[in-house]
Amino acid sequence: MANLDDLKQAVHAARVIPVLVLDDVSAAQPLAQALVAGGLNVIEVTFRTANALDVIREMLKVEGAIVGSGTVRTLEHMRMSEEAGCSFMVSPGAPAKLLEEAENISIPLLPGVASPSEAMGAAEMGYSFLKFFPAEAMGGTPVLKSFASPFPDLSFCPTGGIDAGKAAQYLALPNVLCVGGSWVTPKALVADRDFAKIEKLAHEANRIGT
Ligand code: 3PG
């Protein structure tokens, strides 16, 4: 999925994007299967563990999973994402250098912004779909409500500090396409390999705002 419009359609349908920090490669496939079975087929795997790339490769084998990379901070991260076959990349920030380098990568980047100036910088470079990060720490839904009028052309995926209750409030905003978060995949459940419980949490997340 090299196309940003396809990505926007997929995330809008999924509504909730699980953000994973996973090092255990053996958990990758069953975890992705549980999320997809629960209706959350768009999955972000952060480059925050030594085995993240192998986790991504394993998840890409799961039918129906649309896998992207997260915590993308460098050109190397973007090249690895592209080579692995990711459908998208997510960055916590939007430095101009990264956005320029992303122009030579064939998969879409979702850059992170936390302020009007950052949103304007990314928009100037052609980015109309942005991660709002860290959403709760930066002021949460009132900030995105305030962005709506000056930035009618921009839509957001807030992440950072969001749980099921807050997700509903974000998803009610017209400029929010989806929310990201780790609440669907609690570390303890992954460690216990309780994928049935994770599938249940995914189902619940998938029903938010419907
Ligand atoms: C992240 O990049 O860590 C995401 O924003 C997830 O944040 P959360 O763990 O607070 O949901």
Side-chain angles (χ1 to χ4, degrees), residues 4-29:
L4 180 65
D5 286 334
D6 289 348
L7 174 65
K8 283 166 87 170
Q9 223 173 4
V11 297
H12 193 51
R15 306 290 270 160
V16 173
I17 315 300
V19 178
L20 306 180
V21 182
L22 183 63
D23 199 41
D24 179 1
V25 180
S26 75
Q29 283 206 36

Side-chain angles (χ1 to χ4, degrees), residues 19 21 44 46 48 71 131 133 159-162 180-183:
V19 178
V21 182
E44 175 187 334
T46 60
R48 292 188 214 167
T71 321
K131 166 169 163 140
F133 177 80
T159 73
I162 298 177
S182 58
W183 86 88

Side-chain angles (χ1 to χ4, degrees), residues 73-150:
R73 295 179 54 183
T74 63
L75 178 58
E76 195 197 352
H77 282 149
M78 294 196 287
R79 287 192 175 137
M80 288 192 304
S81 308
E82 187 178 46
E83 273 171 33
C86 288
S87 291
F88 64 96
M89 309 174 289
V90 184
S91 178
K97 182 168 177 279
L98 190 76
L99 302 198
E100 276 162 21
E101 290 167 345
E103 284 169 16
N104 297 315
I105 303 290
S106 62
I107 48 178
L109 172 70
L110 181 61
V113 302
S115 71
S117 291
E118 290 168 6
M120 287 164 67
E124 257 176 46
M125 297 187 68
Y127 289 84
S128 60
F129 179 38
L130 305 169
K131 166 169 163 140
F132 174 49
F133 177 80
E136 281 297 297
M138 285 296 165
T141 52
V143 176
L144 289 174
K145 279 185 196 161
S146 304
F147 280 3
S149 178

